[in-house]
Amino acid sequence: TIRRWVIAMVEQFAEHAALALHNAWLTEERESQLRTIQSLEHQLRAHNEELEAKVAERTDELRDVITNLQEIDEQRRRLLEHVVRAAEEERTRIAHDIHDDPVQKIVALKMQLELLGKKHPGLSGIDDAMEVVKVTIKSMRTLLFDLSPPTLEDEGLGSALAYLLENSGSSFAWTVDDDAMGEDP
C-alpha cells in the first residue's frame, strides 16, 4: 500500500512539473513574441529610414522647384518692368510727336484762319472753321495728357490726378491728398 503522504508528494511533483512545463511554454511564447516584435521593430526602422530618405529627396526637389519658381518670378518681374518702361517711353514719344507736329500745325491753321478772318471779315465759314479747329486743339491736348501727362513727370501723381479731375468736367466735389512722396529723405 502506498501511503497517503507519498501520493500527496507525487501529486505535488506532478503539479510542479505541470507548472514548470506551462512556464516553459509561456517563456517560449514570450521569446517568440519578442522575436516577432524585434523583427517588426527592425522593419519599422528600415521603413522609417526609407521614408526619411524619400522626405529628404522630396525636400531637395521642392527646394529646387522653389528656387526655379523664384528665378522665373524674378525674370517675370524684370520683363514686366521692361514692358511697362517701354510702354511709358513709347507713350511719351508718341505724345511728343503729336505735340511737335500735328498740334503745332493745327495751331498754325488756327492762326491763319484768324488772319484770314481779319483780312476778309465777311467771309462765310471762317467762324465755323475756327470753332472746329479750337475743338480739335482741345481734343488733341486731352489726348496728349491722356498719353503722357506732363504733370505726372514734373510734379507727381497727385498733381496729375488734380489736373485730370479739373479738366474732366465732372460736377462732383473732390480733393487730392498727395502723401505718396512722404518726407524728403
Side-chain angles (χ1 to χ4, degrees):
T1 63
I2 301 178
R3 296 195 178 188
R4 268 190 181 282
W5 66 272
V6 173
I7 292 176
M9 196 190 284
V10 169
E11 283 178 350
Q12 281 184 351
F13 284 139
E15 286 177 7
H16 283 283
L19 188 58
L21 284 174
H22 185 69
N23 284 344
W25 177 81
L26 285 175
T27 301
E28 181 61 33
E29 185 67 25
R30 186 184 57 129
E31 288 177 0
S32 172
Q33 288 178 354
L34 186 59
R35 283 190 298 273
T36 302
I37 289 171
Q38 287 173 342
S39 171
L40 289 173
E41 182 183 16
H42 178 70
Q43 290 175 3
L44 183 60
R45 283 186 182 162
H47 187 66
N48 280 344
E49 289 173 4
E50 188 178 308
L51 284 176
E52 286 177 6
K54 283 183 182 179
V55 166
E57 180 181 325
R58 296 274 167 85
T59 300
D60 289 341
E61 289 174 3
L62 283 174
R63 204 173 284 126
D64 291 343
V65 167
I66 289 170
T67 301
N68 288 340
L69 286 174
Q70 288 172 337
E71 290 172 1
I72 290 169
D73 188 53
E74 179 62 24
Q75 290 173 355
R76 181 201 55 79
R77 187 188 59 74
R78 282 192 309 249
L79 181 61
L80 183 60
E81 284 176 1
H82 176 72
V83 167
V84 168
R85 188 173 40 254
E88 286 301 317
E89 289 171 359
E90 185 64 15
R91 290 167 65 113
T92 301
R93 186 191 65 74
I94 290 170
H96 288 130
D97 288 350
I98 290 172
H99 179 269
D100 292 344
D101 191 39
V103 172
Q104 296 301 327
K105 288 178 180 174
I106 293 172
V107 169
L109 174 64
K110 179 182 169 257
M111 294 167 119
Q112 288 179 354
L113 285 172
E114 287 172 349
L115 288 174
L116 188 61
K118 286 181 182 178
K119 283 184 182 179
H120 306 286
L123 194 60
S124 68
I126 292 287
D127 291 334
D128 292 338
M130 286 289 288
E131 189 58 34
V132 170
V133 168
K134 287 179 184 178
V135 169
T136 303
I137 290 172
K138 184 176 180 181
S139 295
M140 293 296 281
R141 287 189 174 146
T142 301
L143 175 65
L144 288 173
F145 182 81
D146 289 345
L147 277 173
S148 179
T151 56
L152 180 62
E153 291 177 21
D154 298 339
E155 300 172 28
L157 182 60
S159 296
L161 285 174
Y163 180 84
L164 178 67
L165 290 168
E166 286 170 3
N167 294 299
S168 68
S170 64
S171 60
F172 57 89
W174 54 268
T175 60
V176 176
D177 291 330
D178 189 7
D179 295 333
M181 295 304 290
E183 296 296 318
D184 290 336

